[in-house]
Amino acid sequence: NAGVMQNPRHLVRRRGQEARLRCSPMKGHSHVYWYRQLPEEGLKFMVYLQKENIIDESGMPKERFSAEFPKEGPSILRIQQVVRGDSAAYFCASSPYGQGGGTQYFGPGTRLTVL
Amino acid sequence: DQQVKQNSPSLSVQEGRISILNCDYTNSMFDYFLWYKKYPAEGPTFLISISSIKDKNEDGRFTVFLNKSAKHLSLHIVPSQPGDSAVYFCAALTQGGSEKLVFGKGTKLTVNP
């Protein structure tokens, strides 16, 4: 019974390149959340998705960031034209329920370094 | 504007003693609270949660207490073990919305043998 899977675990990009982070939720979970953790900070909510729908993207930067959760395949967090300030750990979490309660289970994270 | 605050960045206790981690929140709309434990280079691991209709929840060595009037919760670990050494995050959410978790900055717990 695999947990939440994220890949890659580490990603190095140069300024201006694109970063693609992937997340496969736990089996049976249809709700996916993305969080970002900057050094010495707590996790900050970015976006909440269900299959083929963005439910809440209030934590996403207005530019360069996008997320999707297609009918088939993993959820993708995409960062275009990365800058040094994007360097952070990005965590994906999944939940079976969404609204009405339900603990979120986290993946191991992707550590993005922008050179 | 931090809605969830963990004012102690670190805590050190002796093995076998009690560890008490504290958390305060400002948003009265929060009605569900969770504690996560995190080791370096890993994702947060769910530990225990409590709904706002309760004031206590216990699971083995871990107990969470909620004081709604004070907007304060605490995690008690008894007895503390060296393997408990990690960063502990308090998180809160409002049920019925998007249920995004709002995290504190974490408290690093060190349990000394």
Side-chain angles (χ1 to χ4, degrees), chain A residues 9 33 35 37 41-43 45 48 56 58 91 98-101 103-104 106-108 111, chain B residues 32 34 36 38 41-44 46 49 89 93 95-101 103-105:
Chain A
R9 294 291 307 273
Y33 301 78
Y35 294 83
Q37 184 184 23
E41 297 283 327
L43 283 72
F45 168 80
Y48 163 37
D56 182 349
S58 59
F91 293 97
Q99 289 191 11
T103 300
Q104 294 176 26
F106 283 80
R111 275 141 193 90
Chain B
Y32 197 73
L34 307 91
Y36 285 85
K38 186 180 180 303
E42 293 186 12
F46 170 71
S49 62
F89 290 99
L93 64 81
Q95 294 184 325
S98 73
E99 308 215 346
K100 58 190 179 188
L101 291 170
F103 282 86
K105 291 190 175 184

Side-chain angles (χ1 to χ4, degrees), chain B residues 41-94:
Chain B
E42 293 186 12
T45 302
F46 170 71
L47 209 52
I48 193 169
S49 62
I50 188 166
S51 166
S52 61
I53 62 173
K54 295 186 174 181
D55 54 19
K56 177 182 173 181
N57 189 25
E58 193 171 350
D59 184 1
R61 297 185 298 114
F62 303 92
T63 303
V64 55
F65 295 92
L66 175 62
N67 182 335
K68 279 180 60 180
S69 60
K71 292 192 177 68
H72 176 83
L73 61 154
S74 60
L75 174 68
H76 292 211
I77 307 173
V78 182
S80 302
Q81 299 172 353
D84 296 330
S85 297
V87 178
Y88 288 78
F89 290 99
C90 171
L93 64 81
T94 304

Side-chain angles (χ1 to χ4, degrees), chain B residues 11-63:
Chain B
L11 175 67
S12 185
V13 299
Q14 210 61 31
E15 181 179 5
R17 306 294 288 268
I18 184 171
S19 295
I20 300 177
L21 297 99
N22 293 302
C23 178
D24 298 292
Y25 61 97
T26 57
N27 189 340
S28 58
M29 297 298 290
F30 289 147
D31 56 9
Y32 197 73
F33 304 89
L34 307 91
W35 284 93
Y36 285 85
K37 173 181 176 179
K38 186 180 180 303
Y39 294 116
E42 293 186 12
T45 302
F46 170 71
L47 209 52
I48 193 169
S49 62
I50 188 166
S51 166
S52 61
I53 62 173
K54 295 186 174 181
D55 54 19
K56 177 182 173 181
N57 189 25
E58 193 171 350
D59 184 1
R61 297 185 298 114
F62 303 92
T63 303

